Amino acid sequence: MVHDNDMGGMRISASFLIAFAAGLAIVIATAVALFQLKSYLTGQALDNLQRVNNKVAFTLHRQLDEMVLDGRSLLRRADVRAMVLKALEKSADAQTRLDLRRLLASSLFEHHYRGFYLIGRNGRIVMSMKDADAGTGLPREPAEIIRRLDAGEQAIISHPFRYRGRTEMWMIMGISAADGGNIGYLAIIAGDRHRFTRTTSITGVAFESTETYLVDRRGYMLSESRFDDQLLATGLLQPGMTSTLNLRIADPGVNRLEQAKAGMVSAQAPLTLAVTRVLEEGSGWSTQPYRDYRGVPVMGAWQWDKGLNAAIITEVDVDEALAGYVYARNIIIALLLVVFLGGLLASRLYSRVLVRSERESNRHRNLLLESSAGGIYGIDERGRCTFINQAALNMLGYEEREVIGRNMHELIHYAYPDGDAYPIDECNIYRSHRQKTRVHCDDECFWHKDGHAVHVEYWSHPLFEEDRAIGSVVTFLDITPQLQAEREREKMENQVQHTQRLESLGVLAGGIAHDFNNLLAAILGNASLVESNILKDPIKAKERVAMIIQSAEKAGGLCKQLLAYSGKGQFILKPVDISKVVEEMSHLLEVSIDKSVVMKYHLAADLPRVMVDEAQVQQVILNLITNANDAIDGKSGVIAVTTGIMQVDRHYLADCYGNRPEPGRYIYVEVSDTGCGMSRETIRKVFDPFFTTKVSGRGLGMSAVLGIVRGHKGALKVYSEEGRGTTFKFLLPVDESVRLASTGETGLRQMRQFEGGTVLVVDDEETVREMACVMLEEMGFDTLTASNGEEALALYEQHRDRILLVLSDLTMPRMGGNELFSRLRTMDPDCRVILSSGYSAEDAIQQFSGKGLAGFIQKPYTAEALNEEVSRILGDGE
Amino acid sequence: MNSLIYALLMLAVAAFMPRAQAETIVIAGSTTLIPYIQQASEAYRKMHPDVRFTIHAGGSTAGLGEVLGGHAHIGMMSRELNEKEAAHMDGFRHLPVAVDAITPVVSDEVFESGLSRISMLSLAAVYRGEISNWRALGGPDKPILLIDRETYHGTRQVFARYVLNDALAPVANDAVVLEGNADVANIIRASDQAIAYLSLAYLDEHVHALAIETEQGVFAADEQGVKNGNYPLARRLYLVLPKQTRPAVRDFVRFVLSGEGQKLVREAGFIPLR
């Protein structure tokens, strides 16, 4: 079973750390950005406040200047001045007063003033819009202004003050006499448009909460609060009161908008920060929030205006000034939250998907593991089991919990099959991750829980993580049944071989009996002739005796061969030359086949010897030939027996029968017939014991052959085509040590040396040409070479005195060997030509018979074959 | 958790939505209507903070001109259309929104002397300059301070048509001629001998209305007198606006005509239509 792993946990915690760090970075960056935004917005708000404050100051001055201008232009009018002076000098009658009132009223009321007071030198009202005012005194504020006017000032605008139940503001000018002193004063009553509030409530406000107000030295408001409604609602003002002159700009201590109905603020309450500072320092500002007269946190800018003799304070609620900041902050927090939650959701979904797919893949893996008939387990680099499948547990007799985490070598692999201790350092399995290589082994065993050995074939495959082997996966099969089957099969094969031997002996015996019969017949016949002639014709009798002796000798040879075949019951390996074995068997073989069948031998000379049991090899050959004979089935046909040596690769061995033969050099014996051939079906079953296509066969021959081939670590190849024939190729591995030894014995076979002379070698294939030259030069010849017939003709013409022989290929471009031969013969009838070709010698000889062809050599040829052919042509005398 | 995420997403979407475009409604014309229109616009803004108002005075004639010329969305008129003007009203509405009355007003001292009514003839005589002392009318022995308005004001035209039989009739040339109703009210308050005529909206404890005495009887400028048609100086107040106009303008006018709007008419000192 595969369980969830710690690596996953580590990965998750690592990614959590990364996510946490990224989140922290985002939060820090956001905090910095928000701080920047806040200070930017604070700066903006302050700029705004100062701009508004300055604008209010400027507008107020202009507004007051206009009042002064209005007053002056009025007084400058001659009719007004004349009537005013008249009114001041003596008490005017009703009509005069009406006229003056009309005159002033049409100017003043049109400019939104509320009336006028003509004040005498004595500080008492001389005249106004109402007769009743005449003679009344002035309130404190205008009286003070008149003193200042007498001191030299031209026109002064009062602060608001209470007069007859109303809040009034007067602009008072001196009316100068000719000598320069004031003979009276004209006060013009400001209308709504001339109040401070007119400017503070229009120029001094902005947005929702910016307001500008004027405060006198005592800390009382001179303009009207923008928030009169709030002040009334929170009890900071009594109903019917306006803020002008009634509102002391004191800090109520709490935000009164949040704690309404707390009543008036005590007269001892400290003034707000703005008022305190403006009274102490003049101009200034505060971006640090402080409470205004409503207790609302504000930031403000202020200045002390000397002309107005009042402070101009502009303030904005912090909430509004930083609304943009709060807005942006909320959006960013919302976005961050969305991103965070989105990320959380995504990661949850992702991990759910991950877990599901991991579970799925685990399920698949488990299914794979559990459905495998082979045992599979994993080990970490220290050899402890990380997982194991049920098949493995079944084979080893353990429970999963008994195995996981245990050292597998100590648990199941502690001893060799023979019981010797298997040190952990030598463990083949661990080698795979120690050496990062795949390990295969089929001769060790795992130990069952109950202590018996389980013979296994196992593969250990290293597991890598970034080039580091972190463990191995071991796959194994219980091969105990196979081993047993193998043993049984061997036993069976031995029996089959034995039986087969007896069977072929029977076949052999039949043939031999026939021969012996003939020989005995000859002996008997001759003996009876001797008997009858010995006295009549002793000479004839002697001839018969000689024939008897000859027949007896033949019979003796036959016996010797029979003995050689049957006399060796035991498996005795010795170095053998296969060609010789075939050669020695030839008589035996010939008696075993039908007379209509021709045996052909192509036996390679000087084959390396192979270590074989000669008798068994003989039986293989005999079996193959008997089968070939049976395949020809009494018709005329050819059985060819060829021996040779060849290099065999894995690919070639892939479709060979045998016991896992290894690539290398092999000696082969090929038996091919021109018989009926075999179907694919037959080929598949040909080695099965007791399978036969013959009427009388017992079906053991081929299985015996395969058994013998296996026994010699050889291979067997079958080619067959139905109706065309069959070829069995029986391969025996060359024992290199034997070959070396035999080389010392037979490799020194003398090649005949020649004394000079030139051979013209004609072949279009350069390698063949050069090889022939080397061989011929070793024999003592000089060589000339030509790559085609035309060249060869030219060379022959040029060097015909020197040339002993022409060795020519048969097939060449431009002019082939055939034409070259006839042209040479025409040119020089004594010319000796050896043709070489891939075709068989028989074909070539047939084609050139009677045409004077000196010789033929079949390609590829050995130095020995060439030497032999050359010797034959040049004759011993050469 | 999902609903929380949805809520946050909605919040984010809302945060990025463009804010509604502020609309400005320009209103011009009669000063009589200004106190009412100011109150109405403030009340309307409490419900529609995205709408702003720009309000100019200038008189009924000017207000009509501004609307016809396309410089204002709404004109305020304190009088009927004359024939010439009516000819230009194609595509425009002349919409009554309130009923007003013009009443003669006097200062505290005059009123307190016991003078509370004036006959139409006396009023005409005062304005023609034929009577110049309050004593002649039963008041104090004080010369009369006569206050008139510029002739392009609806109030003046309505007053003159009734009292002097001609909307543009001249008055005594020593009259003080003023621009706005508010200035007129100011001078009545400031003086102890003044007479003027004003819209009902400008009356207060220092600005006293006089009942008018005609052959039919004595009529005070009160709701009853105005509504039953006996009070001779009643008039309707109008808004003028194009028939095709912006939705915000139409909506504001609907508000003016609504029950709530008409309640404000009364608060402003006028008489509601219904």
Side-chain angles (χ1 to χ4, degrees), chain A residues 74-75 104 116-119 171-173 175 184-188:
Chain A
L74 197 62
L75 271 188
L104 289 177
F116 68 93
Y117 293 103
L118 190 60
I119 300 161
M171 193 279 293
I172 310 175
M173 295 174 293
I175 301 166
Y185 314 89
L186 180 64
I188 296 173

Side-chain angles (χ1 to χ4, degrees), chain A residues 518-765:
Chain A
N518 288 346
L519 290 172
L520 286 175
I523 290 170
L524 272 175
N526 283 316
S528 61
L529 285 175
V530 169
E531 192 181 38
S532 57
N533 289 345
I534 194 155
L535 295 173
K536 291 187 273 181
D537 190 353
I539 293 169
K540 204 172 181 176
K542 191 184 176 192
E543 276 175 18
R544 295 295 161 194
V545 168
M547 286 180 80
I548 289 170
I549 292 168
Q550 198 181 353
S551 291
E553 276 173 349
K554 267 189 189 171
L558 209 53
C559 282
K560 222 180 271 174
Q561 281 189 12
L562 200 55
L563 278 173
Y565 175 78
S566 63
K568 292 149 191 145
Q570 287 167 327
F571 190 75
I572 298 162
L573 289 177
K574 64 173 189 179
V576 168
D577 182 338
I578 291 294
S579 292
K580 279 219 177 84
V581 171
V582 176
E583 220 172 293
E584 282 164 10
M585 285 177 73
S586 55
H587 295 289
L588 192 61
L589 294 175
E590 268 152 30
V591 299
S592 309
I593 62 173
D594 295 337
K595 294 300 172 201
S596 58
V597 177
V598 177
M599 286 293 301
K600 285 193 176 172
Y601 298 95
H602 305 285
L603 304 178
D606 294 331
L607 283 178
R609 298 183 175 212
V610 285
M611 293 293 285
V612 293
D613 182 309
E614 199 174 345
Q616 288 197 339
V617 171
Q618 280 172 349
Q619 192 182 353
V620 168
I621 295 165
L622 190 61
N623 280 354
L624 291 178
I625 285 177
T626 318
N627 276 350
N629 182 51
D630 291 342
I632 293 168
D633 196 20
K635 299 169 193 134
S636 64
V638 179
I639 295 174
V641 181
T642 312
T643 59
I645 182 162
M646 66 187 295
Q647 185 70 33
V648 171
D649 60 12
R650 202 170 286 282
H651 180 70
Y652 184 87
L653 288 170
D655 59 348
C656 282
Y657 297 87
N659 196 8
R660 288 201 288 271
E662 293 291 321
R665 297 208 316 154
Y666 281 80
I667 298 292
Y668 66 88
V669 180
E670 192 181 273
V671 178
S672 50
D673 63 63
T674 56
C676 60
M678 292 185 285
S679 66
R680 283 172 182 276
E681 187 73 10
T682 312
I683 292 175
R684 204 176 308 135
K685 295 187 194 160
V686 72
F687 297 108
D688 292 355
F690 307 111
F691 171 80
T692 181
T693 57
K694 300 172 195 172
V695 184
S696 64
R698 286 171 47 196
L700 292 171
M702 287 314 289
S703 57
V705 166
L706 188 59
I708 293 165
V709 168
R710 281 206 178 113
H712 285 87
K713 292 193 165 65
L716 191 64
K717 198 151 189 146
V718 188
Y719 316 92
S720 185
E721 275 184 64
E722 268 187 290
R724 302 285 293 273
T726 304
T727 300
F728 282 95
K729 199 169 197 172
F730 160 39
L731 297 117
L732 293 166
V734 173
D735 187 338
E736 299 297 331
S737 59
V738 174
R739 194 180 73 89
L740 285 173
S742 66
T743 308
E745 192 183 320
T746 60
L748 293 174
R749 176 176 165 164
Q750 285 294 308
M751 276 210 288
R752 186 170 160 202
Q753 288 293 310
F754 298 89
E755 314 205 334
T758 303
V759 177
L760 173 59
V761 180
V762 191
D763 202 310
D764 58 331
E765 234 177 283

Side-chain angles (χ1 to χ4, degrees), chain A residues 92-167:
Chain A
D93 63 3
Q95 190 57 45
T96 311
R97 289 198 298 272
L98 181 65
D99 290 345
L100 181 55
R101 281 170 186 157
R102 268 193 197 121
L103 204 58
L104 289 177
S106 57
S107 285
L108 292 176
F109 286 92
E110 198 168 67
H111 290 99
H112 315 299
Y113 294 100
R114 287 169 173 263
F116 68 93
Y117 293 103
L118 190 60
I119 300 161
R121 185 73 185 86
N122 57 1
R124 290 192 170 268
I125 294 170
V126 175
M127 192 192 135
S128 75
M129 286 297 284
K130 290 185 181 178
D131 290 342
D133 291 336
T136 54
L138 289 178
R140 190 180 55 79
E141 185 101 2
E144 175 66 26
I145 288 172
I146 283 171
R147 271 195 290 282
R148 283 167 61 193
L149 290 175
D150 286 343
E153 288 181 60
Q154 297 290 314
I156 292 169
I157 296 163
S158 74
H159 284 174
F161 60 93
R162 301 292 295 176
Y163 183 56
R164 294 179 180 165
R166 291 197 303 272
T167 301

